[in-house]
Amino acid sequence: MDGPYLRVEESGEICELAGEVTTVGRGEGADIRLDDPSVSLLHAELVRRGPYVYVVDMGLSRNGTRVNGRPIARRVLEEGDVVSFGTARCRVGGLPQEQISPDVELRRSASPELTRRELDVLTALCQPALSEEAFVAPATARDIAEALVVTEAAVKQHLLRLYQKFRIPEGQNRRTRLANEVVALGLVRPLPVGHRTQRAAG
């Protein structure tokens, strides 16, 4: 098979990673469906960048995603890596044999320029996730509008611009993808427990 693929260890099924984004989960809408109770309905995404692939945990499961036994949020994959979605194990194949550092989280060289209001929207978007140990669903447009005391329509316009700036492709769970990207880039950081309501100095 030309190009990257995932082999499900339990069934031996080979799943080609043909699209730019391949979803993995227990839900009927997932591109790679894993019938395992430890797997979330939408558990993770496999994202292609040219010949390379990285895996992104969607943060909607307490069982998480691991690569070669190590919990990850996002990680570049190498030939032969074993990716565990909950307890379901899959092996990666069809990747170029190159020495890349898998610990590099495939971040863009620089984050896009953001206005103060866009940063406020991103902070409000990620707040539910950052206040929990496990990544939960990010805030809705309505939640963000209430937090920032603006209209929901205004928030949606900001989100559309942010999707473009961060190159988040259209499809399901764009808010979750955006939140993952923002946290991975370190633009919004978790607040210490007990300090979430305090305003940052300066």
Side-chain angles (χ1 to χ4, degrees):
M1 178 181 292
D2 291 333
Y5 62 87
L6 208 62
R7 183 169 62 82
V8 182
E9 292 205 337
E10 186 171 306
S11 66
E13 181 185 0
I14 302 285
C15 305
E16 188 178 358
L17 307 179
E20 183 180 342
V21 178
T22 302
T23 55
V24 180
R26 188 166 41 85
E28 290 185 12
D31 298 321
I32 298 177
R33 193 173 177 204
L34 300 172
D35 189 16
D36 185 307
S38 70
V39 177
S40 295
L41 294 178
L42 178 65
H43 198 104
E45 289 182 335
L46 295 155
V47 183
R48 283 189 66 167
R49 288 284 183 267
Y52 306 107
V53 175
Y54 66 92
V55 59
V56 182
D57 182 69
M58 296 307 288
L60 305 174
S61 165
R62 293 199 176 273
N63 296 314
T65 301
R66 296 171 181 268
V67 175
N68 302 327
R70 290 178 56 190
I72 58 94
R74 182 165 69 161
R75 184 179 165 104
V76 180
L77 296 174
E78 290 187 295
E79 181 73 15
D81 277 347
V82 175
V83 186
S84 302
F85 307 101
T87 59
R89 288 160 54 94
C90 302
R91 191 173 293 273
V92 181
L95 294 174
Q97 297 279 3
E98 290 181 35
Q99 287 299 316
I100 59 173
S101 172
D103 289 319
V104 175
E105 299 225 336
L106 207 70
R107 296 177 183 180
R108 299 196 171 86
S109 56
S111 58
E113 286 189 28
L114 300 171
T115 65
R116 179 69 231 173
R117 179 52 89 183
E118 285 170 346
L119 202 52
D120 288 343
V121 168
L122 290 175
T123 301
L125 171 75
C126 297
Q127 210 53 53
L130 298 176
S131 61
E132 298 285 341
E133 274 187 34
F135 204 125
V136 296
T140 63
R142 180 178 292 178
D143 294 335
I144 297 169
E146 288 177 2
L148 301 181
V149 196
V150 294
T151 65
E152 196 172 334
V155 169
K156 287 179 177 175
Q157 285 301 313
H158 282 301
L159 286 172
L160 282 173
R161 279 199 294 274
L162 288 164
Y163 294 143
Q164 291 170 349
K165 284 189 175 186
F166 286 93
R167 298 180 184 175
I168 307 297
E170 286 191 32
Q172 289 182 312
N173 303 290
R174 283 183 101 185
R175 283 183 299 110
T176 301
R177 289 182 201 165
L178 178 61
N180 271 325
E181 184 72 13
V182 168
V183 172
L185 286 166
L187 294 174
V188 178
R189 297 185 179 279
L191 296 171
V193 175
H195 292 76
R196 291 182 207 125
T197 55
Q198 293 183 11
R199 294 178 60 183

